[in-house]
Amino acid sequence: MMTKSPIAGPIFNQDSSEFFFTHTADEISGEAVDAYIDRLAHAGVGTFVSCGNAMRANYASEVWERDWHGYDPEGSDDQPVLKHIPVEQVRTFRQRLDSAKRLADMGVDFHARAFARCRHHGLGAWMTMRMNDVHGCMDQDSPLLSTFYKGQRAANQLRTQYRDTSWMDRALDWERPEVQEHYFKLVQEQLKRFDFDGLELDWMRFCYHFRPGREMAGGRVITDWMCRVRTACDAAAKSKGHPIMLGVRVPSRPETARKLGLDAVAWAKEGLIDLVVPTPFWATCEFDMPMQEWHRLIGGTKVQLAGGVEIRYQPVPNGPATMMTAELATGAALSVLHGGADQVYLFNYFPSGHGLTKDWGAETIDSVFRAMKDATAMAKLARRHAITYRDIRAPGEPLDNALPGSDLQADMPSPSGCAFRINTGPIPVGRIVELLLEFQQGGIDPSQLRVHVNSQQCAIKQSSDDGVAIYNVPCELMEDESQVVDVIGGGKNAFTIVRVEVSVSAA
Amino acid sequence: MMTKSPIAGPIFNQDSSEFFFTHTADEISGEAVDAYIDRLAHAGVGTFVSCGNAMRANYASEVWERDWHGYDPEGSDDQPVLKHIPVEQVRTFRQRLDSAKRLADMGVDFHARAFARCRHHGLGAWMTMRMNDVHGCMDQDSPLLSTFYKGQRAANQLRTQYRDTSWMDRALDWERPEVQEHYFKLVQEQLKRFDFDGLELDWMRFCYHFRPGREMAGGRVITDWMCRVRTACDAAAKSKGHPIMLGVRVPSRPETARKLGLDAVAWAKEGLIDLVVPTPFWATCEFDMPMQEWHRLIGGTKVQLAGGVEIRYQPVPNGPATMMTAELATGAALSVLHGGADQVYLFNYFPSGHGLTKDWGAETIDSVFRAMKDATAMAKLARRHAITYRDIRAPGEPLDNALPGSDLQADMPSPSGCAFRINTGPIPVGRIVELLLEFQQGGIDPSQLRVHVNSQQCAIKQSSDDGVAIYNVPCELMEDESQVVDVIGGGKNAFTIVRVEVSVSAA
């Protein structure tokens, strides 16, 4: 293999639809693509990762159906690919297809243009491929569905045959050779058609690629398939005259990844990949991904490690969720870098599409994204750490969410009370540190609870009627990497905690 | 460091009291020690690990109090060290102390004699030191408590000061230099006094060595302390003329161990240790210790890996428990070896003390222990795999027990139904394989449930009124390492499962 170039962070993943959702057919143009990349370059993005597919290609592919396949821009809302879509979504759907088609009709390929603009700004340019995207799979028809997929579905060849209750049950079965070939075609086209620094295989869309129980046997199939991709990348590198790296997005925990047939550690050791990105799926950013463990497991290889930071924040499974604030994103990203990752990897962090500009403001986007290049810069910003849960488990892996937490007496040998461990990155010095606890019950008097951080009781600063209490944490109490919060109530002071955050003021 | 000798398995840990509990003062003698080792040698034990202490030494130590310190064999049951012991236990306590003292008075040192007999049989001979044993800590006085411990307790210098509800709260705080010195004295004595192949530091008695939240900072203290021990071992090796290995018992999960300050992976990489033994604490044998992950994490070092197999079987935390059967022990041990461990490590598997001879029979002990030398021999025996839980977590680590399991609809993206993953070792060929499910409710009709192994429905073989159902698992369905069991009921067939086992017939 050729020498690896270091990958510049933060790494920014764009999905296959955002650009087309946020530009009408009238607005779309090659210059609009340039402007899109210009915005990211201005914000300090180090590497742009461009997504070309879900079940279809969003560019004028010659080997896969295009997003606008079977769609007639002049036709009615009742045409086959639209008629199963909820009425209120039809207009948005059509706009996206109109825009994508218009750009292609102009002779502009989004990715080729975006990569050229990345070169202009000195940004890293990567392609990402979603390996089993099932958006739209519950619909009978939709522009999201490929003929290939519908064929697999009609032939009862999807992942789960004995149950059909979730999107995941309707994923393609990667043990099927025709599935492997279907994706390999797209790999070959993209290696030939585009000039990028790296190709990412996004196994996290949607994570489940095999019949339940067949994951580890199936994983060997994926590994063999990836050997072919690696060979194809190396061949393309020769013709392009520069290395072409190979990356993977995989579940946040190494053993979960292995048990899902996505054994990134083995791939790293076998020299198949250059970048591994442990990441949650979607439901929530995961604040305690074991980056230290990943770092150790791929130690001794040349593989780089990036930590996936998602846009959604949901402390309790199925509980209330918000978008990540700038402070929360800073906290999550800092923990990732402090844990040994080489880069922060942003997923679904669109300046416009998901309202980040509205929520954060353009200047905040710039300052946070720019700081994500390195831990020292990040550590100067105001940040907020939280406890969430991991939203991907291998079949049969037990639940392990920390929240909600209550003060039921735990049994020997576990400590009693209600303890949490919260990841916080490097030790802050001379900052204001506060602990936030949100209680499910309105009737709790937080001043009656004993709240400890690393064994020392912390005084309450304020509490509000909506069950949120803030405690002062003397900065000197803070440990490296993580803190233990131990809340003792008991008796009349029974409680259930649904949110735990530690905030650190800016330097 | 000197060259490592391979360690012979299975490794058998003896606690500091069993021999004295099971021999009266009249029966005890040097020959009785020989006979004890002879029995283990006959059973095929590869390495004997002899325990010299809990809070006191069970031999005539010159640097620690002896078990019989402060005890007057001629005195009444009301003497200080006995008067806080429950009346029904006094006789057993006295017998143990009488025996230990008698053996020492005869001029026989249990460990020296045992090690000599190990040499005679070609068994490996190790010493194990319990690093923070708190047996007796809830008593005001007891022969189990050392003056040193009582001093720490009186000075409010134990691990947890803000809470006092469990044994673990009353552990010594290893950040205290006097604690470190107290144990180092014993290390020095044992290195000088005995001639063994290796010294094991048993950090699993009782696992919690620091104030909650101080574990990772504290871990650096332990690492420094272990450097001193390593140096002392190397010095002793020179004078004894053979290598002296250093081993550790640590929590079953690498990240849990690290977060408890017991970073065995770091110790392995730094060349401080020769053997690492991931293990549960006590409540239950753990059937899914991540040996593959341990194996990877210490890969590239010369450190050997053994998996701890405990004697207690408890599927549900705080639920019913039994002793391990021979079939269960075989299943657990086979998974350990199949997962990449070099040896099986038996803890609390006393032929007599805990009734193993009565429960298993002498011949079964022999055949199972002998087979534990290697996976091929084990795989020929009848075996039973189970789902349990891990009984040690770092403060703040969330619960993750698989049982009880119920058929509440899990949410996207998790598969619905009730899925379990059960470790089963190598693929059995041509065997009878059965799945056992125990339901909490008596009223369940198991024939109404759909039970799948690796996505294929399995037929019910039998069910009984006490809620236990057996399903036939076609042997061809079995995968390497683990199986996914997915049970679908729903509606009127709601269920809660409290026990899951897979049995494999003998070859």
Side-chain angles (χ1 to χ4, degrees):
Chain A
M1 271 187 296
M2 298 180 179
T3 316
K4 307 296 183 309
S5 332
I7 300 164
I11 304 172
F12 178 97
N13 181 302
Q14 192 216 27
D15 76 15
S16 68
S17 66
E18 187 242 354
F19 182 78
F20 305 105
F21 272 133
T22 58
H23 292 81
T24 65
D26 290 340
E27 293 164 349
I28 213 153
S29 67
E31 289 71 26
V33 179
D34 292 346
Y36 183 90
I37 299 297
D38 294 349
R39 176 71 192 92
L40 298 179
H42 180 75
V45 163
T47 296
F48 174 68
V49 182
S50 197
C51 183
N53 73 294
M55 280 193 200
R56 297 174 168 195
N58 68 351
Y59 62 93
S61 171
E62 306 291 338
V63 298
W64 266 34
E65 285 164 359
R66 304 164 184 185
D67 278 340
W68 54 92
H69 175 85
Y71 166 64
D72 176 7
E74 311 303 327
S76 74
D77 288 356
D78 197 40
Q79 56 185 300
V81 297
L82 296 177
K83 72 177 180 188
H84 298 285
I85 291 172
V87 173
E88 68 278 11
Q89 293 177 19
V90 168
R91 201 174 132 236
T92 324
F93 255 101
R94 294 194 74 147
Q95 188 225 288
R96 172 189 165 192
L97 302 183
D98 290 336
S99 299
K101 185 171 187 306
R102 176 75 61 87
L103 191 68
D105 289 347
M106 287 175 179
V108 178
D109 184 303
F110 175 85
H111 308 286
R113 182 94 183 200
F115 293 150
R117 197 68 179 174
C118 286
R119 305 291 187 209
H120 169 77
H121 287 295
L123 265 66
W126 279 60
M127 193 87 204
T128 182
M129 185 179 297
R130 296 185 169 204
M131 304 311 295
N132 206 348
D133 194 298
V134 289
H135 277 100
C137 68
M138 305 312 262
D139 295 331
Q140 187 179 336
D141 203 349
S142 151
L144 299 176
L145 300 175
S146 66
T147 303
F148 177 82
Y149 178 82
K150 287 185 281 190
Q152 292 287 309
R153 187 173 69 181
N156 290 324
Q157 287 167 355
L158 298 182
R159 173 185 172 250
T160 317
Q161 290 305 317
Y162 65 88
R163 184 187 58 214
D164 184 27
T165 54
S166 81
W167 290 27
M168 304 308 190
D169 288 335
R170 295 192 174 194
L172 295 170
D173 178 358
W174 259 82
E175 280 200 78
R176 302 199 67 82
E178 66 269 28
V179 171
Q180 300 157 27
E181 295 313 312
H182 181 66
Y183 283 87
F184 196 70
K185 270 194 310 198
L186 195 64
V187 167
Q188 285 177 303
E189 175 178 81
Q190 293 184 355
L191 282 170
K192 189 172 171 195
R193 181 180 180 115
F194 303 121
D195 183 20
F196 42 67
D197 301 320
L199 173 64
E200 174 183 87
L201 305 175
D202 187 353
W203 297 109
M204 290 300 287
R205 283 297 175 277
F206 277 40
C207 324
Y208 298 99
H209 307 293
F210 301 101
R211 281 169 284 150
R214 284 292 298 172
E215 294 85 4
M216 282 194 282
R220 291 193 289 274
V221 167
I222 286 191
T223 301
D224 291 345
W225 186 88
M226 283 179 54
C227 287
R228 293 170 63 197
V229 174
R230 175 84 257 177
T231 303
C233 286
D234 291 346
K238 271 193 188 161
S239 69
K240 306 278 182 191
H242 61 77
I244 295 177
M245 290 182 274
L246 192 59
V248 288
R249 293 208 324 136
V250 292
S252 58
R253 314 285 163 125
E255 279 292 288
T256 298
R258 189 174 71 85
K259 288 172 182 165
L260 281 169
L262 304 171
D263 194 352
V265 174
W267 300 336
K269 287 183 186 291
E270 289 170 29
L272 287 176
I273 56 173
D274 304 283
L275 173 68
V276 57
V277 188
T279 187
F281 167 61
W282 169 83
T284 184
C285 190
E286 193 173 323
F287 285 77
D288 67 339
M289 295 193 296
M291 302 313 293
Q292 295 83 357
E293 190 172 27
W294 279 105
H295 189 256
R296 286 177 164 187
L297 283 164
I298 65 172
T301 74
K302 288 180 180 173
V303 175
Q304 293 178 67
L305 178 67
V309 174
E310 264 285 347
I311 191 65
R312 206 162 176 265
Y313 171 49
Q314 184 179 54
V316 175
N318 310 309
T322 61
M323 291 295 124
M324 295 276 280
T325 62
E327 286 80 8
L328 283 167
T330 304
L334 182 58
S335 271
V336 154
L337 292 179
H338 187 68
D342 301 298
Q343 297 93 15
V344 172
Y345 188 113
L346 297 170
F347 198 93
N348 280 337
Y349 274 75
F350 307 125
S352 52
H354 285 244
L356 211 54
T357 302
K358 181 164 64 71
D359 289 351
W360 287 21
E363 283 182 24
T364 303
I365 293 176
D366 293 347
S367 68
V368 171
F369 281 23
R370 276 174 200 160
M372 284 180 179
K373 270 196 202 314
D374 73 282
T376 311
M378 293 231 77
K380 291 178 183 157
L381 302 181
R383 67 190 206 246
R384 185 170 288 269
H385 304 277
I387 291 179
T388 53
Y389 64 97
R390 62 189 182 113
D391 66 350
I392 287 296
R393 303 186 309 283
E397 272 193 318
L399 284 169
D400 58 356
N401 45 297
L403 296 173
S406 62
D407 62 345
L408 298 171
Q409 191 78 0
D411 299 282
M412 214 281 286
S414 310
S416 60
C418 180
F420 305 97
R421 180 174 291 265
I422 184 164
N423 268 19
T424 50
I427 297 178
V429 177
R431 311 290 185 85
I432 298 164
V433 181
E434 293 176 348
L435 169 70
L436 178 152
L437 299 178
E438 181 174 336
F439 300 92
Q440 197 165 47
Q441 303 91 336
I444 282 283
D445 178 0
S447 66
Q448 294 304 304
L449 305 176
R450 289 186 293 132
V451 175
H452 309 84
V453 172
N454 303 332
S455 299
Q456 189 169 313
Q457 192 166 351
C458 294
I460 193 161
K461 181 190 175 192
Q462 64 180 71
S463 67
S464 59
D465 289 343
D466 58 355
V468 174
I470 311 282
Y471 299 83
N472 295 311
V473 181
C475 194
E476 313 77 62
L477 268 189
M478 296 288 285
E479 297 285 342
D480 186 54
E481 189 183 315
S482 64
Q483 320 303 320
V484 171
V485 177
D486 202 348
V487 184
I488 299 181
K492 279 182 286 185
N493 297 307
F495 60 81
T496 300
I497 291 175
V498 293
R499 185 159 60 112
V500 178
E501 294 172 2
V502 166
S503 66
V504 177
S505 66
Chain B
M1 271 188 297
M2 299 181 181
T3 316
K4 306 296 184 309
S5 332
I7 300 164
I11 303 173
F12 179 97
N13 180 302
Q14 193 216 28
D15 76 13
S16 68
S17 65
E18 188 241 353
F19 182 78
F20 305 105
F21 272 133
T22 57
H23 293 80
T24 64
D26 290 339
E27 293 163 351
I28 213 153
S29 67
E31 290 71 26
V33 179
D34 292 346
Y36 183 90
I37 299 298
D38 294 348
R39 175 71 192 90
L40 298 179
H42 179 75
V45 162
T47 296
F48 175 66
V49 182
S50 197
C51 182
N53 74 294
M55 281 194 198
R56 298 174 169 194
N58 68 351
Y59 62 93
S61 171
E62 306 291 338
V63 298
W64 268 33
E65 285 163 359
R66 304 165 185 184
D67 278 340
W68 54 93
H69 175 83
Y71 166 65
D72 175 6
E74 312 303 326
S76 75
D77 288 356
D78 197 40
Q79 55 184 299
V81 298
L82 296 178
K83 73 177 179 187
H84 298 285
I85 292 172
V87 173
E88 69 278 12
Q89 293 177 18
V90 169
R91 203 176 130 236
T92 325
F93 255 100
R94 294 195 74 147
Q95 187 225 290
R96 172 190 167 193
L97 302 183
D98 290 336
S99 299
K101 184 170 189 308
R102 175 76 60 89
L103 191 69
D105 288 348
M106 286 176 181
V108 177
D109 185 302
F110 175 85
H111 308 286
R113 181 94 183 201
F115 293 150
R117 196 69 179 176
C118 286
R119 305 291 187 208
H120 169 77
H121 287 295
L123 265 65
W126 279 60
M127 192 88 204
T128 182
M129 186 179 296
R130 295 184 169 203
M131 304 311 296
N132 206 349
D133 194 299
V134 288
H135 276 101
C137 68
M138 304 311 262
D139 295 331
Q140 187 179 335
D141 202 351
S142 150
L144 300 176
L145 299 175
S146 67
T147 304
F148 178 81
Y149 178 82
K150 287 184 282 189
Q152 292 287 309
R153 188 173 68 181
N156 290 324
Q157 288 168 353
L158 298 182
R159 172 184 173 250
T160 317
Q161 291 304 316
Y162 65 88
R163 185 187 56 213
D164 185 26
T165 53
S166 80
W167 290 26
M168 304 308 192
D169 288 334
R170 296 194 174 192
L172 294 169
D173 178 357
W174 258 81
E175 281 200 77
R176 302 199 67 81
E178 66 270 28
V179 171
Q180 300 158 28
E181 296 314 311
H182 181 66
Y183 283 88
F184 196 71
K185 269 193 309 194
L186 195 63
V187 167
Q188 286 177 301
E189 175 179 80
Q190 293 184 354
L191 282 170
K192 190 171 169 195
R193 180 180 181 116
F194 302 120
D195 184 19
F196 42 67
D197 301 320
L199 172 65
E200 174 182 87
L201 306 174
D202 187 353
W203 297 108
M204 290 299 287
R205 282 296 175 279
F206 277 41
C207 324
Y208 298 99
H209 307 293
F210 301 101
R211 281 169 285 151
R214 285 292 298 172
E215 293 86 2
M216 283 193 282
R220 292 192 290 273
V221 168
I222 286 190
T223 300
D224 291 345
W225 186 88
M226 282 179 54
C227 288
R228 293 171 63 197
V229 174
R230 174 83 258 176
T231 304
C233 286
D234 292 347
K238 269 192 190 163
S239 68
K240 306 277 182 192
H242 61 78
I244 295 178
M245 291 183 273
L246 192 59
V248 287
R249 291 209 325 139
V250 293
S252 58
R253 314 286 164 126
E255 279 293 288
T256 298
R258 189 174 70 85
K259 288 172 182 164
L260 280 168
L262 304 171
D263 194 353
V265 174
W267 301 337
K269 288 183 187 291
E270 289 170 29
L272 287 177
I273 55 174
D274 304 282
L275 172 68
V276 56
V277 187
T279 187
F281 168 60
W282 168 83
T284 185
C285 191
E286 194 174 322
F287 285 77
D288 66 340
M289 295 194 296
M291 302 313 294
Q292 293 84 358
E293 190 172 28
W294 278 106
H295 189 255
R296 285 177 166 186
L297 283 165
I298 66 171
T301 72
K302 289 181 180 171
V303 175
Q304 293 178 66
L305 178 66
V309 175
E310 263 284 348
I311 192 66
R312 207 162 176 265
Y313 172 47
Q314 184 179 54
V316 175
N318 309 311
T322 61
M323 291 296 124
M324 296 275 280
T325 63
E327 286 80 8
L328 284 167
T330 304
L334 182 57
S335 273
V336 155
L337 292 179
H338 188 66
D342 300 298
Q343 297 92 15
V344 172
Y345 188 112
L346 297 170
F347 198 92
N348 280 337
Y349 274 74
F350 307 126
S352 52
H354 285 245
L356 212 54
T357 302
K358 181 164 64 71
D359 290 350
W360 287 21
E363 284 181 25
T364 303
I365 293 176
D366 292 347
S367 68
V368 171
F369 281 21
R370 276 174 201 161
M372 283 179 178
K373 270 196 201 315
D374 73 283
T376 311
M378 293 230 77
K380 291 177 184 156
L381 302 181
R383 67 191 205 247
R384 184 170 288 268
H385 303 277
I387 291 179
T388 54
Y389 64 97
R390 62 189 182 112
D391 66 351
I392 286 296
R393 303 186 309 283
E397 273 193 318
L399 283 169
D400 59 356
N401 46 297
L403 297 173
S406 61
D407 61 346
L408 298 172
Q409 192 79 358
D411 300 282
M412 214 281 286
S414 308
S416 60
C418 179
F420 304 96
R421 181 174 290 266
I422 184 164
N423 269 19
T424 50
I427 297 180
V429 178
R431 309 290 185 86
I432 298 164
V433 181
E434 293 177 348
L435 168 70
L436 178 151
L437 299 178
E438 181 174 338
F439 300 91
Q440 197 164 47
Q441 303 91 336
I444 283 283
D445 177 0
S447 66
Q448 295 305 304
L449 306 175
R450 289 186 294 132
V451 175
H452 310 82
V453 172
N454 302 333
S455 298
Q456 189 170 312
Q457 192 166 350
C458 294
I460 193 161
K461 181 190 173 192
Q462 64 181 72
S463 68
S464 58
D465 289 344
D466 57 355
V468 174
I470 312 282
Y471 299 82
N472 295 312
V473 180
C475 194
E476 314 77 61
L477 268 189
M478 296 288 284
E479 297 284 343
D480 187 53
E481 190 183 313
S482 63
Q483 320 302 319
V484 171
V485 177
D486 202 348
V487 184
I488 299 182
K492 278 182 286 187
N493 298 306
F495 60 80
T496 300
I497 291 175
V498 294
R499 185 159 61 110
V500 178
E501 295 172 0
V502 167
S503 64
V504 177
S505 66

